[in-house]
Structure formats: C-alpha cells, structure tokens
Amino acid sequence: MKHLLKLYDLTEQEIIELLDSADKLKYEQKHGIEHKLLKGKTLGMIFAKSSTRTRVSFEVGMLQLGGNALFLSSNDIQLGRGEPICDTARVLSRYLDGIMIRTFKQSDVEDLAKFGSIPIINGLTDYCHPCQVLADLMTIREFKKTLKGLKLCFVGDGNNMANSLIVGAIKVGMSISIACPKGYEPAPEIVKWGTENGNLVITQDLQEAVANADVVYTDVWASMGQEGEKEKREKAFQGYQVNAELMSHANPDAMVLHCLPAHRGEEITADVLEAHANEIFEEAENRLHAQKAVMVALMGVKNKQAKL
Ligand code: CP
Ligand code: NVA
C-alpha cells in the first residue's frame, strides 16, 4: 500500500490489517503507551472544503505519533490561484513526508499521487471518503465483534459516503443495501462492481432496505459543494430519514452510524441520533485511531521497530 486514494485499491487483508493496527493504537493510547512512529515526519493537509473531524483527527494523530502537521487551505496556497497539481505535487514532495487532501475531484487526488513521490491520503472527494469508512468498519467491529455476514443499510444520497461504504462493506464480507431516490444512486461503476462481487441492493423502498439490518447509516442530503441544490434536494429526499419508525423495521439491536455533521430533522431525527450517540461519537473518535494506522502504514519506517 503506497497511498490511500480510494478503498477499492485495498485488499481485504490490507483493510483488516489497518483495523487491527487501529484497535491496537487505540488500546495503547488509552493505556498511556506512546508510539512515536512518525518522529520528525511532516504531513501536509490540503483542504479545499471545510472540516472538523478530518482536520483535527489528522493533526492530533500526527502529534501523537511524534510528527507535525501543516494545515494548508487551498485558498492560501498557490493551488487556489491555479498552480497545477502536477507542480504542487512535485514541490510538496520535497518538503513533506505525506499529504492528506480534501477536495472536489477524485482525479486531483490521483494526480497528486501520480506526480508526487510521497504517500497521498484522500480526506474526502466528491467521489469517496475512504478514511471515514475505515473508522466506520472499526466501529462496527468494535460493537458487533465481527464484520462478515452483517448487513449495513445506507439511507439517503448515493454520494461519496455511499460509494465508499459499498466498497468497504463488500470487501470485508458484509452485505449492503442503499435506499435512495431515483436519480440519486451511487456511482454506476461501483454499483456494477458491488452487484458482481457481493450482496448489494439499491432500492427506493426504505423498509425493504432496512429489513434485517445490523447497521443503519445515513449522511446529509446535500454534500459540500451542493449548497445550490439544497431546496431541490430537500424535496427529492423527503421521507429518506432515519427515524424511530424506520428503525423498528431493522434488527432490534441495530446500530446507527453517521459520518457527521448531521442535520437533525432531515436525514436523521434528533431522538434517533441521541439514542445512538454512543455509537456515533465512538465512530467520530475512531477517525483518529484509524488514520493513525493509515499514516503509520504509509509513512512509518519499514522495519521491525516501526511495527506495532
Ligand atoms: N465526517 C467528516 O469527514 O467530518 P468533517 O467534514 O468534519 O471532517
Ligand atoms: N457527504 C458529505 C460527507 C461529509 C463528511 C459531504 O461530502 O459533504
């Protein structure tokens, strides 16, 4: 594994190894055991979109591992004034040990990796959100003690989260259903891959989607960059809400996850969010541990000492 551009690039074994490493880092951090595995290393964090969790968890993760993190708003670096990705990649590769980037186009992330010579981590694009799904899988395994054979139901927009959840769930042997309005399905090539390689159902029937679900997941109706479509989307997504009535059709012990930020009263009701707050905020915490595992795997010294 040289980069984390999208989950599709990882094998099941690589995903499980990252989750095992994340569990270990979490346990040891809670018990005061420090791992300065990235001592002296610097992560550049390019943000073309807002962030709370991704920014803070990457920065804190780097500090806990003995390294440094630089926040680079794309408005403040020359990238925002049109300096090409191919030049930015070659310049930053000479100062940094890794780059985390949150942006719009997946091709920009892929180009950073193509033209640079350091590990690139995708911190969200319009296409996918691999770091989030690693934390999600970690959280599901933590609560359910297994992944294989579980069913995850995603309710809402077939967006970056839906795309990554399909790939992540199927790679680790979970089945997945997506309840989304017509015209808001996940990326066609991911739907094709999921249908051919696992148990994937795309439906407009919420009750069918949520039946026997062990995990119910949702995300905002309008993602970052889609602010102009807010009203149109509010209409299209009416009813695509995780509420108590919908939860009564899932397994009685079903978890609820949300990548956050949440819009109470839209994709999720306040009562369901609060009833599952222990899962949802553990999921947010697990961003830190999962990303530390990713950074150690990509940026750590490849010798025995660096192994956990
Ligand atoms: N879930 C997530 O990526 O949150 P932020 O947008 O706050 O980083
Ligand atoms: N789909 C959301 C996820 C935020 C973490 C967005 O892209 O804005």
Side-chain angles (χ1 to χ4, degrees):
M1 182 178 150
K2 277 168 69 183
H3 306 283
L4 178 58
L5 307 179
K6 52 188 185 304
L7 280 183
Y8 182 79
D9 301 335
L10 271 55
T11 63
E12 176 182 7
Q13 194 187 337
E14 284 172 324
I15 294 174
I16 298 298
E17 280 173 11
L18 286 173
L19 300 186
D20 291 346
S21 170
D23 282 349
K24 195 161 186 197
L25 284 162
K26 179 174 184 175
Y27 176 86
E28 296 191 346
Q29 190 219 322
K30 304 247 178 232
H31 289 79
I33 303 166
E34 294 193 337
H35 289 290
K36 301 294 180 196
L37 297 172
L38 299 181
K39 193 165 182 287
K41 308 254 174 178
T42 306
L43 177 78
M45 308 189 300
I46 302 176
F47 281 92
K49 293 177 176 173
S50 305
S51 170
T52 298
R53 282 142 288 268
T54 305
R55 176 178 175 180
V56 177
S57 56
F58 266 107
E59 184 158 344
V60 169
M62 255 334 253
L63 295 180
Q64 289 181 358
L65 291 166
N68 296 292
L70 291 181
F71 174 71
L72 304 168
S73 161
S74 67
N75 290 331
D76 298 335
I77 58 174
Q78 298 287 9
L79 190 63
R81 291 182 58 247
E83 185 168 14
I85 287 275
C86 58
D87 293 355
T88 306
R90 283 176 286 184
V91 171
L92 292 182
S93 291
R94 289 170 185 254
Y95 307 133
L96 300 169
D97 301 287
I99 297 175
M100 190 288 308
I101 177 165
R102 164 168 289 196
T103 191
F104 296 86
K105 283 161 52 189
Q106 179 70 15
S107 59
D108 284 350
V109 179
E110 310 262 349
D111 282 349
L112 260 189
K114 184 172 154 196
F115 291 103
S117 53
I118 54 175
I120 306 298
I121 302 171
N122 182 342
L124 180 145
T125 59
D126 293 345
Y127 187 64
C128 63
H129 197 0
C131 292
Q132 179 68 52
V133 171
L134 287 174
D136 298 340
L137 295 175
M138 179 184 176
T139 312
I140 296 167
R141 199 172 71 160
E142 197 173 316
F143 279 82
K144 296 286 184 191
K145 310 293 173 215
T146 185
L147 291 170
K148 272 205 190 327
L150 295 182
K151 175 179 171 180
L152 186 146
C153 166
F154 178 89
V155 177
D157 187 18
N159 60 13
N160 43 13
M161 282 312 313
N163 287 339
S164 283
L165 283 166
I166 292 172
V167 176
I170 287 176
K171 289 230 175 197
V172 300
M174 295 170 71
S175 59
I176 176 160
S177 59
I178 309 279
C180 59
K182 210 169 169 7
Y184 292 92
E185 290 85 4
E189 69 280 11
I190 292 182
V191 173
K192 182 171 184 290
W193 176 85
T195 313
E196 287 169 1
N197 290 278
N199 190 350
L200 168 67
V201 171
I202 312 277
T203 176
Q204 292 165 44
D205 183 338
L206 278 88
Q207 284 191 20
E208 177 200 344
V210 89
N212 302 315
D214 301 292
V215 185
V216 179
Y217 201 116
T218 189
D219 183 19
V220 291
W221 292 341
S223 286
M224 289 181 277
Q226 297 172 334
E227 289 77 9
E229 295 176 32
K230 198 174 177 305
E231 278 177 25
K232 178 181 143 205
R233 284 174 167 267
E234 269 171 19
K235 282 201 193 101
F237 286 95
Q238 276 312 311
Y240 285 83
Q241 184 187 64
V242 176
N243 53 35
E245 205 283 317
L246 186 68
M247 288 306 295
S248 72
H249 300 281
N251 278 347
D253 60 351
M255 300 171 69
V256 174
L257 294 180
H258 193 310
C259 56
L260 303 175
H263 290 164
R264 288 165 173 81
E266 293 186 13
E267 77 278 1
I268 190 166
T269 54
D271 59 327
V272 169
L273 193 154
E274 293 306 333
H276 293 271
N278 61 330
E279 295 147 14
I280 292 169
F281 293 103
E282 200 68 36
E283 174 190 16
E285 176 183 324
N286 285 341
R287 294 291 305 279
L288 170 68
H289 309 298
Q291 288 157 198
K292 282 170 73 179
V294 168
M295 292 191 289
V296 170
L298 293 177
M299 297 162 63
V301 183
K302 305 274 184 289
N303 64 23
K304 270 194 176 156
Q305 268 184 325
K307 278 215 159 157
L308 284 170

